[in-house]
Coordinates of all heavy atoms in Angstrom, one line a residue:
M1 N 0.9 -1.2 0.0 CA 0.0 0.0 0.0 C 0.9 1.2 0.0 O 1.8 1.3 0.6 CB -0.9 -0.1 1.2 CG -1.8 1.2 1.3 SD -2.9 1.2 2.8 CE -4.4 0.3 2.0
S2 N 0.5 2.2 -0.7 CA 1.3 3.5 -0.9 C 1.0 4.3 0.4 O 0.0 4.2 1.1 CB 0.9 4.2 -2.1 OG -0.5 4.8 -2.0
L3 N 2.0 5.3 0.5 CA 1.8 6.2 1.6 C 0.4 7.1 1.6 O -0.1 7.3 2.6 CB 3.1 7.2 1.7 CG 3.2 8.2 2.8 CD1 3.2 7.5 4.2 CD2 4.3 9.2 2.6
R4 N 0.1 7.4 0.4 CA -1.1 8.2 0.2 C -2.3 7.3 0.7 O -3.2 7.8 1.4 CB -1.4 8.6 -1.2 CG -0.4 9.7 -1.7 CD -0.7 9.9 -3.1 NE 0.0 11.1 -3.5 CZ 0.0 11.7 -4.8 NH1 -0.8 11.1 -5.6 NH2 0.8 12.6 -5.1
G5 N -2.3 6.1 0.4 CA -3.3 5.2 0.8 C -3.4 5.0 2.3 O -4.4 4.9 2.9
Q6 N -2.2 4.9 2.9 CA -2.2 4.8 4.3 C -2.6 6.0 5.0 O -3.2 5.9 6.2 CB -0.7 4.5 4.8 CG -0.2 3.1 4.4 CD 1.2 2.9 4.7 OE1 1.8 3.8 5.3 NE2 1.7 1.8 4.5
L7 N -2.3 7.2 4.6 CA -2.8 8.4 5.2 C -4.3 8.7 4.8 O -4.8 9.7 5.2 CB -1.9 9.6 4.6 CG -0.5 9.6 5.2 CD1 0.3 10.6 4.6 CD2 -0.5 9.6 6.7
G8 N -4.9 8.0 3.8 CA -6.3 8.3 3.5 C -6.4 9.4 2.5 O -7.5 9.9 2.3
V9 N -5.2 9.6 1.7 CA -5.3 10.7 0.7 C -5.7 10.1 -0.6 O -5.3 9.0 -0.9 CB -4.0 11.4 0.6 CG1 -3.9 12.4 -0.4 CG2 -3.5 12.0 2.0
A10 N -6.5 10.9 -1.3 CA -6.9 10.3 -2.6 C -5.8 10.1 -3.5 O -4.7 10.8 -3.4 CB -8.0 11.2 -3.2
E11 N -5.9 9.1 -4.4 CA -4.7 8.8 -5.3 C -4.6 9.9 -6.4 O -3.5 10.1 -7.0 CB -4.9 7.4 -6.0 CG -4.7 6.2 -5.0 CD -3.3 6.2 -4.6 OE1 -2.4 6.6 -5.3 OE2 -3.1 5.8 -3.4
S12 N -5.7 10.5 -6.6 CA -5.7 11.6 -7.6 C -5.3 13.0 -7.1 O -5.4 14.1 -7.8 CB -7.1 11.8 -8.2 OG -8.1 12.2 -7.3
A13 N -4.8 13.0 -5.8 CA -4.4 14.3 -5.4 C -3.3 15.0 -6.0 O -2.4 14.3 -6.5 CB -4.0 14.1 -3.8
G14 N -3.4 16.2 -6.3 CA -2.6 17.0 -7.1 C -2.8 17.0 -8.6 O -2.1 17.6 -9.4
A15 N -3.8 16.3 -9.0 CA -4.1 16.1 -10.4 C -5.1 17.2 -10.8 O -5.9 17.8 -10.0 CB -4.8 14.8 -10.7
L16 N -5.0 17.6 -12.1 CA -6.0 18.5 -12.6 C -7.3 17.9 -13.0 O -7.4 16.7 -13.4 CB -5.5 19.0 -14.0 CG -4.3 20.0 -13.9 CD1 -3.8 20.5 -15.3 CD2 -4.7 21.3 -13.1
V17 N -8.4 18.4 -12.7 CA -9.7 18.0 -12.9 C -10.6 19.1 -13.7 O -10.5 20.2 -13.4 CB -10.5 17.9 -11.4 CG1 -11.9 17.3 -11.7 CG2 -9.7 16.9 -10.5
F18 N -11.2 18.6 -14.7 CA -11.8 19.5 -15.7 C -13.4 19.2 -15.5 O -13.8 18.0 -15.3 CB -11.4 19.3 -17.1 CG -10.1 19.7 -17.3 CD1 -9.1 18.7 -17.3 CD2 -9.7 21.0 -17.5 CE1 -7.7 19.1 -17.6 CE2 -8.3 21.4 -17.7 CZ -7.5 20.4 -17.8
G19 N -14.2 20.3 -15.4 CA -15.6 20.1 -15.3 C -16.2 19.9 -16.6 O -15.7 19.7 -17.7
T20 N -17.5 19.4 -16.5 CA -18.3 19.1 -17.8 C -18.4 20.4 -18.7 O -18.7 21.4 -18.1 CB -19.7 18.5 -17.6 OG1 -20.3 19.4 -16.7 CG2 -19.4 17.2 -16.8
P21 N -18.3 20.4 -19.9 CA -18.5 21.5 -20.8 C -19.8 22.0 -20.8 O -20.9 21.2 -20.8 CB -18.1 21.1 -22.2 CG -17.3 19.8 -21.9 CD -17.8 19.2 -20.6
Q22 N -20.0 23.3 -20.6 CA -21.3 24.0 -20.7 C -21.4 24.9 -21.7 O -20.6 25.7 -21.9 CB -21.5 24.7 -19.2 CG -21.4 23.8 -18.0 CD -22.6 23.0 -17.8 OE1 -23.6 23.2 -18.2 NE2 -22.3 21.7 -17.3
E23 N -22.5 24.8 -22.5 CA -22.7 25.8 -23.6 C -23.6 26.8 -23.2 O -24.8 26.7 -22.5 CB -23.3 25.0 -24.8 CG -23.3 25.8 -25.9 CD -23.7 25.0 -27.2 OE1 -23.6 23.8 -27.1 OE2 -23.8 25.7 -28.2
T24 N -23.2 28.1 -23.5 CA -24.0 29.3 -23.2 C -25.0 29.6 -24.4 O -24.9 29.0 -25.4 CB -23.0 30.5 -22.9 OG1 -22.3 30.8 -24.0 CG2 -22.2 30.1 -21.6
A25 N -25.7 30.7 -24.1 CA -26.7 31.0 -25.0 C -26.1 31.7 -26.4 O -26.7 31.4 -27.5 CB -27.7 32.1 -24.6
D26 N -24.9 32.2 -26.3 CA -24.2 32.8 -27.4 C -23.4 31.8 -28.1 O -22.7 32.2 -29.1 CB -23.5 34.1 -26.9 CG -22.3 33.7 -26.2 OD1 -22.2 32.6 -25.6 OD2 -21.5 34.6 -25.9
G27 N -23.4 30.6 -27.8 CA -22.5 29.6 -28.5 C -21.2 29.3 -27.9 O -20.5 28.4 -28.4
S28 N -20.9 30.0 -26.8 CA -19.6 29.7 -26.2 C -19.7 28.4 -25.3 O -20.7 28.0 -24.9 CB -19.2 30.9 -25.3 OG -19.1 32.1 -25.9
V29 N -18.5 27.8 -25.3 CA -18.5 26.7 -24.5 C -17.4 26.9 -23.2 O -16.4 27.3 -23.5 CB -17.8 25.3 -25.2 CG1 -17.8 24.2 -24.3 CG2 -18.9 25.1 -26.3
I30 N -17.9 26.6 -22.1 CA -17.1 26.8 -20.8 C -16.8 25.7 -20.1 O -17.6 24.8 -19.9 CB -17.9 27.8 -19.9 CG1 -18.3 29.1 -20.6 CG2 -17.2 28.0 -18.6 CD1 -19.2 30.0 -19.7
V31 N -15.4 25.5 -19.8 CA -14.9 24.3 -19.1 C -14.1 24.9 -17.9 O -13.2 25.6 -18.1 CB -14.0 23.5 -20.0 CG1 -13.4 22.2 -19.4 CG2 -14.8 23.1 -21.3
T32 N -14.6 24.3 -16.8 CA -13.8 24.7 -15.5 C -12.7 23.9 -15.2 O -12.6 22.6 -15.7 CB -14.7 24.7 -14.3 OG1 -15.3 23.4 -14.2 CG2 -15.9 25.7 -14.5
A33 N -11.6 24.3 -14.6 CA -10.5 23.5 -14.2 C -10.2 23.8 -12.8 O -10.2 24.9 -12.3 CB -9.2 24.0 -15.2
A34 N -9.8 22.7 -12.1 CA -9.4 22.8 -10.7 C -8.3 21.8 -10.4 O -7.9 20.9 -11.3 CB -10.7 22.3 -9.9
R35 N -7.7 21.9 -9.3 CA -6.6 21.0 -8.8 C -7.1 20.3 -7.5 O -7.5 21.1 -6.6 CB -5.3 21.8 -8.7 CG -4.1 20.7 -8.2 CD -2.8 21.6 -8.1 NE -2.3 22.1 -9.4 CZ -1.8 21.4 -10.4 NH1 -1.6 20.3 -10.4 NH2 -1.5 22.1 -11.5
V36 N -6.9 19.2 -7.5 CA -7.4 18.3 -6.2 C -6.2 18.6 -5.1 O -5.1 18.4 -5.4 CB -7.5 16.9 -6.5 CG1 -7.9 16.1 -5.1 CG2 -8.6 16.6 -7.6
G37 N -6.8 18.8 -3.9 CA -5.8 19.1 -2.8 C -5.2 17.9 -2.3 O -5.6 16.8 -2.4
W38 N -3.9 18.0 -1.6 CA -3.3 16.9 -1.2 C -3.7 16.3 0.2 O -3.9 15.1 0.2 CB -1.7 17.3 -0.8 CG -1.1 17.6 -2.1 CD1 -0.7 18.9 -2.7 CD2 -0.5 16.7 -2.9 NE1 -0.1 18.6 -3.9 CE2 0.1 17.3 -4.0 CE3 -0.3 15.3 -3.0 CZ2 0.8 16.8 -5.1 CZ3 0.4 14.6 -4.0 CH2 0.9 15.4 -5.0
L39 N -4.1 17.2 1.1 CA -4.5 16.7 2.4 C -6.0 16.5 2.5 O -6.5 15.5 3.0 CB -4.0 17.6 3.5 CG -2.5 17.6 3.7 CD1 -2.2 18.5 4.7 CD2 -2.0 16.2 4.0
R40 N -6.8 17.4 2.2 CA -8.2 17.4 2.3 C -9.0 16.6 1.2 O -10.1 16.3 1.4 CB -8.8 18.8 2.6 CG -8.3 19.5 3.8 CD -8.7 20.7 4.0 NE -8.0 21.6 3.0 CZ -8.2 22.9 2.8 NH1 -8.9 23.5 3.6 NH2 -7.4 23.6 2.0
G41 N -8.5 16.6 0.1 CA -9.1 15.9 -1.1 C -10.1 16.9 -1.6 O -10.9 16.4 -2.5
T42 N -10.0 18.1 -1.3 CA -11.0 19.1 -2.1 C -10.4 19.6 -3.3 O -9.1 19.8 -3.4 CB -11.4 20.2 -1.0 OG1 -10.3 20.8 -0.6 CG2 -12.1 19.6 0.2
A43 N -11.2 20.2 -4.2 CA -10.6 20.8 -5.4 C -10.6 22.2 -5.2 O -11.5 22.9 -4.8 CB -11.6 20.4 -6.5
R44 N -9.4 22.8 -5.7 CA -9.1 24.4 -5.5 C -9.3 24.7 -7.0 O -8.7 24.4 -7.9 CB -7.8 24.6 -5.1 CG -7.6 26.1 -4.8 CD -6.3 26.4 -4.4 NE -5.5 26.4 -5.6 CZ -4.2 26.6 -5.6 NH1 -3.5 26.8 -4.6 NH2 -3.6 26.7 -6.8
P45 N -10.3 25.8 -7.4 CA -10.5 26.3 -8.5 C -9.3 27.0 -9.2 O -8.6 27.7 -8.5 CB -11.6 27.2 -8.5 CG -11.7 27.6 -7.1 CD -11.2 26.6 -6.3
L46 N -8.9 26.7 -10.4 CA -7.8 27.3 -11.1 C -8.2 28.3 -12.1 O -7.6 29.3 -12.3 CB -6.9 26.3 -11.8 CG -6.2 25.2 -10.8 CD1 -5.4 24.3 -11.7 CD2 -5.3 25.9 -10.0
G47 N -9.3 28.1 -12.8 CA -9.8 29.0 -13.8 C -10.8 28.4 -14.7 O -11.3 27.3 -14.6
V48 N -11.0 29.0 -16.0 CA -12.0 28.6 -16.8 C -11.5 28.8 -18.3 O -10.8 29.8 -18.6 CB -13.3 29.6 -16.7 CG1 -14.4 29.2 -17.6 CG2 -13.9 29.6 -15.3
F49 N -11.7 27.8 -19.0 CA -11.5 27.8 -20.4 C -12.7 28.2 -21.1 O -13.8 27.6 -20.8 CB -11.1 26.4 -21.0 CG -9.7 26.0 -20.7 CD1 -9.3 25.1 -19.8 CD2 -8.6 26.7 -21.5 CE1 -8.0 24.8 -19.5 CE2 -7.2 26.3 -21.1 CZ -7.1 25.3 -20.2
V50 N -12.7 29.2 -22.1 CA -13.8 29.7 -22.9 C -13.6 29.5 -24.3 O -12.5 30.1 -24.8 CB -14.2 31.1 -22.5 CG1 -15.4 31.5 -23.3 CG2 -14.4 31.3 -21.0
V51 N -14.4 28.7 -24.9 CA -14.1 28.4 -26.4 C -15.2 29.1 -27.1 O -16.4 28.8 -26.9 CB -14.1 26.9 -26.7 CG1 -13.8 26.7 -28.1 CG2 -13.1 26.2 -25.9
K52 N -14.9 30.1 -28.0 CA -15.9 30.9 -28.7 C -15.3 31.0 -30.1 O -14.2 31.6 -30.3 CB -16.2 32.3 -28.0 CG -17.2 32.9 -28.8 CD -17.6 34.1 -28.0 CE -18.7 34.9 -28.6 NZ -19.2 36.1 -28.0
D53 N -16.1 30.6 -31.1 CA -15.8 30.8 -32.6 C -14.4 30.2 -32.8 O -13.6 30.6 -33.6 CB -15.7 32.3 -32.9 CG -17.0 33.0 -32.8 OD1 -18.0 32.4 -32.9 OD2 -17.0 34.2 -32.5
G54 N -14.1 28.9 -32.3 CA -12.9 28.2 -32.4 C -11.7 28.8 -31.8 O -10.6 28.2 -31.9
Q55 N -11.8 29.9 -31.0 CA -10.6 30.3 -30.2 C -10.9 30.1 -28.7 O -12.0 30.3 -28.1 CB -10.6 31.9 -30.5 CG -10.4 32.3 -31.9 CD -9.0 31.9 -32.3 OE1 -8.1 32.0 -31.6 NE2 -8.9 31.6 -33.7
A56 N -9.9 29.5 -28.1 CA -9.9 29.2 -26.7 C -9.2 30.3 -26.0 O -8.1 30.6 -26.3 CB -9.3 27.8 -26.4
T57 N -9.8 30.7 -24.8 CA -9.1 31.7 -23.9 C -9.1 31.2 -22.5 O -10.0 30.3 -22.2 CB -9.8 33.0 -24.1 OG1 -11.3 32.9 -23.5 CG2 -9.8 33.6 -25.4
W58 N -8.2 31.5 -21.8 CA -8.0 31.0 -20.4 C -8.1 32.2 -19.5 O -7.7 33.3 -19.6 CB -6.6 30.5 -20.2 CG -6.3 30.2 -18.7 CD1 -5.4 30.9 -17.9 CD2 -6.7 29.1 -18.0 NE1 -5.3 30.4 -16.8 CE2 -6.1 29.2 -16.6 CE3 -7.6 28.1 -18.1 CZ2 -6.5 28.4 -15.5 CZ3 -8.0 27.2 -17.0 CH2 -7.4 27.5 -15.9
T59 N -9.1 32.0 -18.5 CA -9.3 33.1 -17.4 C -9.0 32.6 -16.1 O -9.7 31.6 -15.6 CB -10.7 33.6 -17.5 OG1 -11.1 34.0 -18.8 CG2 -11.0 34.6 -16.6
P60 N -7.9 32.9 -15.5 CA -7.6 32.4 -14.1 C -8.4 32.8 -13.2 O -9.0 33.8 -13.1 CB -6.2 32.8 -13.9 CG -6.0 34.1 -14.7 CD -7.0 33.9 -15.9
A61 N -8.7 32.0 -12.0 CA -9.5 32.2 -10.9 C -8.6 32.9 -9.9 O -7.5 32.7 -9.6 CB -10.1 31.0 -10.2
V62 N -9.2 34.0 -9.3 CA -8.4 34.8 -8.2 C -9.0 34.4 -6.9 O -10.3 34.6 -6.6 CB -8.6 36.3 -8.6 CG1 -7.9 37.2 -7.5 CG2 -8.1 36.7 -10.0
D63 N -8.1 34.1 -6.0 CA -8.5 33.7 -4.7 C -8.3 35.0 -3.8 O -7.2 35.2 -3.3 CB -7.7 32.7 -4.0 CG -8.3 32.1 -2.9 OD1 -9.3 32.6 -2.2 OD2 -7.8 31.1 -2.3
A64 N -9.3 35.7 -3.6 CA -9.3 37.0 -2.9 C -9.0 36.7 -1.3 O -8.3 37.5 -0.7 CB -10.6 37.9 -2.9
G65 N -9.4 35.6 -0.8 CA -9.1 35.4 0.6 C -7.6 35.0 0.8 O -7.1 35.4 1.8
R66 N -7.0 34.4 -0.2 CA -5.5 34.2 0.0 C -4.6 35.5 -0.2 O -3.8 35.7 0.6 CB -5.1 33.1 -1.0 CG -3.6 32.8 -1.0 CD -3.3 31.8 -2.0 NE -3.5 30.5 -1.4 CZ -3.4 29.3 -2.0 NH1 -2.8 29.3 -3.2 NH2 -3.6 28.2 -1.3
I67 N -5.1 36.3 -0.9 CA -4.4 37.7 -1.2 C -4.6 38.5 0.1 O -3.7 39.1 0.6 CB -5.0 38.4 -2.4 CG1 -4.8 37.6 -3.7 CG2 -4.5 39.8 -2.4 CD1 -5.3 38.1 -5.0
A68 N -5.8 38.4 0.8 CA -6.1 39.2 1.9 C -5.3 38.7 3.1 O -4.6 39.3 4.0 CB -7.5 39.2 2.3
L69 N -5.1 37.3 3.2 CA -4.4 36.6 4.2 C -2.8 37.0 4.1 O -2.2 37.2 5.1 CB -4.6 35.2 4.2 CG -3.9 34.4 5.2 CD1 -4.3 34.7 6.6 CD2 -4.0 32.8 5.0
L70 N -2.5 37.1 2.9 CA -1.0 37.4 2.6 C -0.7 38.9 3.0 O 0.3 39.2 3.8 CB -0.7 37.3 1.1 CG 0.8 37.8 0.8 CD1 1.7 36.8 1.4 CD2 0.8 37.7 -0.7
G71 N -1.6 39.8 2.8 CA -1.5 41.3 3.3 C -1.6 41.3 4.8 O -0.7 42.0 5.4
E72 N -2.4 40.6 5.4 CA -2.6 40.6 6.9 C -1.3 40.0 7.6 O -0.8 40.5 8.5 CB -3.8 39.8 7.3 CG -4.9 40.5 7.1 CD -6.2 39.6 7.3 OE1 -6.1 38.4 7.8 OE2 -7.3 40.2 7.1
T73 N -0.7 38.9 6.9 CA 0.6 38.3 7.4 C 1.7 39.2 7.3 O 2.5 39.5 8.2 CB 0.7 37.1 6.7 OG1 -0.4 36.2 6.8 CG2 2.0 36.4 7.2
I74 N 1.7 40.0 6.1 CA 2.9 41.0 5.9 C 2.8 42.1 6.9 O 3.8 42.5 7.6 CB 3.0 41.5 4.5 CG1 3.4 40.4 3.5 CG2 3.8 42.7 4.4 CD1 3.3 40.8 2.2
G75 N 1.5 42.6 7.2 CA 1.4 43.6 8.2 C 1.7 43.3 9.6 O 2.3 44.0 10.4
L76 N 1.3 41.9 9.9 CA 1.6 41.5 11.3 C 3.2 41.3 11.6 O 3.6 41.7 12.5 CB 1.0 40.1 11.6 CG 1.2 39.5 12.9 CD1 0.5 40.4 13.9 CD2 0.6 38.1 12.8
V77 N 3.8 40.9 10.5 CA 5.2 40.8 10.6 C 5.9 42.1 10.7 O 6.9 42.4 11.5 CB 5.9 39.9 9.3 CG1 7.3 40.1 9.3 CG2 5.4 38.5 9.4
A78 N 5.4 43.1 9.9 CA 6.0 44.5 10.0 C 5.8 45.1 11.4 O 6.7 45.8 12.0 CB 5.4 45.3 9.0
V79 N 4.6 45.0 12.0 CA 4.2 45.5 13.2 C 5.2 44.8 14.4 O 5.7 45.4 15.3 CB 2.8 45.3 13.6 CG1 2.6 45.5 15.2 CG2 2.0 46.2 12.7
T80 N 5.4 43.4 14.3 CA 6.1 42.8 15.2 C 7.6 43.2 15.2 O 8.3 43.3 16.2 CB 6.1 41.3 14.9 OG1 4.7 40.8 15.1 CG2 6.8 40.5 15.9
L81 N 8.2 43.3 13.9 CA 9.5 43.8 13.8 C 9.7 45.2 14.4 O 10.8 45.6 14.9 CB 10.1 43.6 12.3 CG 10.1 42.4 11.8 CD1 10.5 42.3 10.3 CD2 11.3 41.5 12.6
G82 N 8.7 46.0 14.1 CA 8.8 47.5 14.6 C 8.7 47.6 16.1 O 9.5 48.2 16.7
L83 N 7.9 46.7 16.8 CA 7.8 46.6 18.2 C 9.1 46.0 18.9 O 9.6 46.6 19.9 CB 6.6 45.9 18.7 CG 5.3 46.4 18.4 CD1 4.1 45.6 18.8 CD2 5.1 47.8 19.3
L84 N 9.6 45.1 18.2 CA 10.9 44.6 18.7 C 12.0 45.6 18.5 O 12.9 45.7 19.6 CB 11.4 43.4 18.0 CG 10.5 42.0 18.3 CD1 10.8 40.9 17.3 CD2 10.6 41.7 19.6
A85 N 12.0 46.4 17.6 CA 13.1 47.4 17.5 C 12.9 48.5 18.5 O 13.9 49.0 19.0 CB 13.0 48.1 16.0
I86 N 11.6 48.8 18.8 CA 11.4 49.8 19.9 C 11.7 49.3 21.3 O 12.3 50.1 22.1 CB 9.8 50.3 19.8 CG1 9.7 51.2 18.5 CG2 9.6 51.1 21.0 CD1 8.4 51.7 18.3
V87 N 11.4 48.1 21.5 CA 11.6 47.5 22.8 C 13.2 47.3 23.0 O 13.7 47.6 24.1 CB 10.9 46.1 23.0 CG1 11.6 45.4 24.1 CG2 9.5 46.3 23.1
R88 N 13.9 47.0 21.9 CA 15.4 46.8 22.1 C 16.1 48.3 22.3 O 17.0 48.4 23.1 CB 15.8 46.2 20.8 CG 17.4 46.0 20.8 CD 17.7 44.9 19.9 NE 19.2 44.8 19.7 CZ 20.0 44.1 20.5 NH1 19.5 43.7 21.7 NH2 21.3 44.2 20.3
R89 N 15.7 49.2 21.6 CA 16.3 50.6 21.8 C 15.1 51.6 21.7 O 14.8 52.0 20.6 CB 17.4 50.8 20.9 CG 18.1 52.1 21.0 CD 19.3 52.3 20.2 NE 19.8 53.5 20.4 CZ 20.9 53.7 21.1 NH1 21.6 52.9 21.8 NH2 21.3 55.0 21.2
P90 N 14.5 52.0 22.7 CA 13.5 53.0 22.7 C 13.9 54.4 22.1 O 15.1 54.8 22.3 CB 13.0 53.2 24.0 CG 13.6 52.2 24.9 CD 14.9 51.6 24.1
P91 N 13.0 55.0 21.3 CA 13.3 56.3 20.7 C 13.4 57.4 21.8 O 13.9 58.5 21.5 CB 12.4 56.4 19.6 CG 11.1 55.7 20.2 CD 11.7 54.5 20.9
W92 N 12.8 57.3 23.0 CA 12.8 58.3 23.9 C 14.0 58.4 24.8 O 14.7 57.4 24.9 CB 11.5 58.2 24.8 CG 11.2 56.8 25.4 CD1 11.8 56.3 26.4 CD2 10.5 55.8 24.8 NE1 11.4 55.1 26.8 CE2 10.6 54.7 25.6 CE3 9.7 55.6 23.6 CZ2 10.0 53.4 25.5 CZ3 9.1 54.5 23.5 CH2 9.2 53.3 24.3
P93 N 14.2 59.5 25.4 CA 15.5 59.7 26.2 C 15.4 58.8 27.4 O 14.4 58.6 28.1 CB 15.7 61.1 26.5 CG 14.3 61.7 26.3 CD 13.6 60.8 25.4
D94 N 16.7 58.4 27.9 CA 16.7 57.7 29.2 C 16.6 58.7 30.3 O 17.7 59.3 30.6 CB 18.0 56.8 29.3 CG 18.1 55.9 30.5 OD1 17.0 55.7 31.1 OD2 19.1 55.3 30.7
L95 N 15.7 58.7 31.2 CA 15.5 59.6 32.2 C 15.8 59.1 33.6 O 15.6 59.6 34.7 CB 14.1 60.2 32.3 CG 13.7 61.0 30.9 CD1 12.2 61.3 31.1 CD2 14.5 62.1 30.7
S96 N 16.3 57.8 33.7 CA 16.6 57.2 34.9 C 18.0 57.7 35.6 O 18.2 57.4 36.6 CB 16.7 55.7 34.8 OG 17.7 55.4 33.9
R97 N 18.7 58.4 34.9 CA 20.0 58.8 35.5 C 19.9 60.1 36.3 O 19.3 60.9 36.4 CB 21.0 59.1 34.3 CG 21.4 57.9 33.6 CD 22.3 58.3 32.5 NE 22.4 57.1 31.6 CZ 23.1 57.1 30.5 NH1 23.8 58.2 30.3 NH2 23.1 56.1 29.8

């Protein structure tokens, strides 16, 4: 038995998964694409293929939650480094003398 099987991870983890083609009213065909996650076995959306008049275009999916989390993490690291710099050497004068 493989390590993935022992951990209960799907064998298709990390693989690309394409949705069923959907045809719109204007004749376009839309195919979704996702990647299966390693641990949870859930699919993370990657984007959409749109085929119209024989031309295929790719539109990537944007994960706004991940972008917001990255911004919050950067802000937290910046505040932590700033506080450590102030605690190590305060900008105010030493009045204990």
